Amino acid sequence: MSDCSVTFHPQEVRVKIRKGATLLDAALAAHITINNLCGGDGICGRCKMIVTKGEVTGEVTGKLTREEIKRGAVLACMAVVQTDLEVEVPPETLAKEKFTADREAVRFRGMKEIGEFWQKFTPAPLVSKVFIELPTPELANNTADHQRLCEAIRKKVGEPSTQMGLKIIRVLPEILRRGGYKVTATVGLRREISEVMDIEGGNTADRNFFIVVDIGTTTIVAHLLDAVKLKTLDAKACFNSQGMYGREVTGRIITAEKKGTEEFQKLLVSDINQLIRGLAEENGVSLTNITAAVCAGNTIMGHFLLGLPTENIRRFPYVAASVAPPPLRAAEVGIEINPRGLLYSLPGISGWVGSDLTAGILATGLYKHSGISLLVDIGTNGEIVVGNSDWMVSCSASTGPALEGASVVCGMRAESGAIEKVYVQEGKIKYQTIGDVKPRGICGSGLIDLLSVLLKEGIIDRSGLIKENAPGHIETTDGISRFILVEPEAAYQNKAIYITESEIENIITAKGAVFAAMKILLERLDLSFKDLEHFYIAGAFGNYINIDSAVTIGLIPNLSKEKVSFVGNTSIEGAKLAALYQEAFYDLEKIRENTTYYDLMGAEDYVEEFQKALFLPHTDIQLFQEVS
Amino acid sequence: MSDCSVTFHPQEVRVKIRKGATLLDAALAAHITINNLCGGDGICGRCKMIVTKGEVTGEVTGKLTREEIKRGAVLACMAVVQTDLEVEVPPETLAKEKFTADREAVRFRGMKEIGEFWQKFTPAPLVSKVFIELPTPELANNTADHQRLCEAIRKKVGEPSTQMGLKIIRVLPEILRRGGYKVTATVGLRREISEVMDIEGGNTADRNFFIVVDIGTTTIVAHLLDAVKLKTLDAKACFNSQGMYGREVTGRIITAEKKGTEEFQKLLVSDINQLIRGLAEENGVSLTNITAAVCAGNTIMGHFLLGLPTENIRRFPYVAASVAPPPLRAAEVGIEINPRGLLYSLPGISGWVGSDLTAGILATGLYKHSGISLLVDIGTNGEIVVGNSDWMVSCSASTGPALEGASVVCGMRAESGAIEKVYVQEGKIKYQTIGDVKPRGICGSGLIDLLSVLLKEGIIDRSGLIKENAPGHIETTDGISRFILVEPEAAYQNKAIYITESEIENIITAKGAVFAAMKILLERLDLSFKDLEHFYIAGAFGNYINIDSAVTIGLIPNLSKEKVSFVGNTSIEGAKLAALYQEAFYDLEKIRENTTYYDLMGAEDYVEEFQKALFLPHTDIQLFQEVS
């Protein structure tokens, strides 16, 4: 197949690409990072480019207006290269402002009693800094430097066994003598053994920071933790750059199988490193003083981070390479913190139920309750656990990224300008944005509210279709109907904020998958929703969700209010507990061992149950009578 | 200072070297490895070269004949470069035949009862290979590969905790599937935790070998061990190439301080690698199947091996960087066995008492006896321990390499052609060589016998000087007297075997240092030789020594025969026990902790005692009355 030459402006980069490749392929080859949230499915409409010379083929898409098409606009992911091309990349197409503060940590809710629970324990961070004053050696006490220091650490910290790598032993004599035998040892937990990871002259024990990361398929959240003051200093989040290879993990596994996992690892590590750099710079923390990175996330992301093969996870019987990788030198995978800093990958349960869920079990304390609880953590996959202090069973359902604000044109993460609340006041549909600024888009909680309002106001029917002659501002272009929530003049940059019928369908699919999974799992355990003492809903779709709205659309069952808690991002919250309390870290391992994985892919009735849930709230409306 | 150009033939290598440097410096710069056993002191006479053009200065030495000097011969270590030079390197000057089989392992003596002691224990090698058949995963049992394997190992080996590095986890899924879930795991002990170091498809559990090395200042001995059959397959030894930087460790520490430890590490690693390669090739063992290198030796050699700084060991208060380094990946220091194989540096006691002595304490069982024993291990340093199962005190004395056959012109290691026994029969001095071949030189045991015979036959006096009109063949050249033991026609290559007065002095110095150290140490403990239940003499000076001869020259006290055992190379014997019995390995750590170091350099009466011991057998002849 012959090669075509594609030149991008204003980057002035030319690449050779085979005829038949997409313009997105060419942009990737040219290392031009563009907005592409849907993973090349022509859904998000954010990879707009203008072909000024040459010929491309490909379907016409509703994401572009007639005017745009006339001017040569195409979606890069759908435009097939046929000849040499000259291409203009509009500024809004370029990925930018990738990192936006996520103040979720500050506004965290629902975790209060858990925080108190852990406060009973003495904090014991996974990596700690210990200031030690050694007596100056003399003939009567001329123990070797290595053994003397380990003995002193043992006495001070009470660690029974301490190891030290050759690199540190080599420089130890000089650091000890230069520091006048007053040094700070950085001591990290590596399985049952503590490792003296680093030695500095003088007392630096007050400068010890961790990065705690929740690695989602769609969203990556990182918090900067002061491990001495036990405080969250700041938080940042970004979309996962792997999105360019597909919204769903399965697509990425298939691509990784062909291309190798390196590319996926590189993207993830680069995202995490940018979050770390941003957090460190803005908070005046030196990377050297970040001694640990603690990561929770779904198992596939965990595999990509470590460069582990993922292909067996998608093949029967879905075996992961490792669900509990050992602590590693973070530098071994390219994470840029202290060069000898440790990377802790928290333990998950199976290929499809990751450490985001075990962290959630830890954070909610579900594993300590005598009564039965259910925790559902909604991300691009929905992970569910049911159990108590005696037993736990988990499962996973594919939901897609709709509730994270991705794959919805006006969707966005829960950050400044996002509509997080939609409600009716005096017969009018109103909204509230994060930061009380002009709305820029809608985040997960806003979408749940919006669907609920649209249903209650008779704008959409129970299958999610916009009714004929529905009230409110409805537009139909190229056969696609959309409800305009915010008129251009009221919105940021005069861009109307709307939702289309197909986007509503995405959200219904997501909530249907989650609800069906919960129902089947409970049935398998001979339980029903009314047997639950607690119902925890966790996820990255916002800083709050309206429980009533979630019940209205059928995302969660209609339980009495006191049983239901929205617990936010329990993945990162649990990871933080594990980072600061070794007790909690060991609990995670116990949670892993005590939680069974139930595979829904093997459940014949799952598809049927899923179909039934593709209505608002459900085919069987009886289910949503209050079941307290 | 101006540079001179030195060209070596037949190597045809030209180097630039500053005027005033020695020819040995030039040869080192040219990477020409030459025989140089004395470390550049002009003693061994083995670095002979012929200057065919240009000018060198330097003392005339008795190591060269007048004829040789006329032909331009010089000792490279003593010839100072003054102009550009053309230099001929005679073939015998080039280092060669460096590796000679050392069958000591086979002929080992004195260790029998110890071997029996350990035979009561179940062998538990530091690294073992475990064949595992895993059930094929199914939906009801789809534990991740990593956890499944660790669980299986735990069940099979009973290891409570197993770790696995990222590199192995990465390839594990493929190896498991390719091997049909039948694999061999190589499991190594790293402190209290076991590490799965390697995974191979199929059953390779019968191929597991270790290299056990005794790293001496002068001599390096390596044994190849079958860790499955618990057998020593072969042994090799070589002189330590660091000898080119000095016979004594102190000189090497000083040089390392100036040049860095890298060069010393490189030389040691290269010596060990050559021994390993030789052993592996000759015994048909693949390097991949050598999974561990277990090293004992003096602390300074241990530091050089790991690239640890040594300078504080020679400075008050003589602090080592580490006397118990952790197990490392052998590749981290360049040792060429299985790329993931482990290097165990056995624990020593202080900067001047190394793991050669702890290994000796282990091998002799001294630490288990209720009665008090003394173990003296004679190498380039003499290390001594006195104690029992309750307490142990150790010290070290500098002896020099004379008793290892180095720094004596006709000295050699205990290998084929070495005179290992000298005795008087029918009024005539006779000798016996290893292998019953033509004599090539004298090893340590032969030298001890020789001195004893020379004294008894009235050839030398009690201060070691050759008597006037002494019987036997005495020659005096350039004022140096020598006793000819083997006439040229009876010797290998027609080279007479002799000993000079100054060499006798070296041997007396060595034995005097050892004896004085033993005496002072016992005195400090309010003990004398007669309080000892066992007296163990260990060392690399041969495969046997004649106890009577050792008493005659005053190397050891005159105890009743049943108390004295020659136990050979206990450093390597103890290292082998530690390699094959984890129990023994842990015992070494206890030995380290329970043994006090007594510093002779701080003992004011040591020099006085040493002076008294510079006679045959001693100034105070009373001491050598039998003291049973």
Side-chain angles (χ1 to χ4, degrees), chain A residues 367-382:
Chain A
Y367 71 116
K368 287 180 179 287
H369 303 336
S370 55
I372 298 170
S373 310
L374 183 149
L375 163 64
V376 53
D377 185 358
I378 299 176
T380 311
N381 273 22

Side-chain angles (χ1 to χ4, degrees), chain A residues 137-139 142-147 161-162 164 169-170 173 177 191-193 306-307 309 312 317 319-324 326, chain B residues 137-138 142-147 161-162 164 169-170 173 177 191-193 306-307 309 312 317 319-324 326:
Chain A
E138 48 192 53
L139 196 54
N142 68 352
T143 316
D145 295 326
H146 172 197
Q147 282 63 44
S161 186
T162 333
M164 199 187 282
I169 303 175
R170 277 182 186 155
R177 282 159 186 79
R191 313 256 335 181
E192 288 83 354
I193 285 186
L306 302 187
N312 298 311
V319 177
S322 178
V323 291
Chain B
E138 48 191 54
N142 68 353
T143 315
D145 295 326
H146 172 197
Q147 281 65 43
S161 185
T162 332
M164 199 187 283
I169 302 175
R170 277 184 185 152
R177 282 159 186 80
R191 311 248 344 174
E192 288 81 355
I193 285 185
L306 302 186
N312 298 310
V319 178
S322 179
V323 291

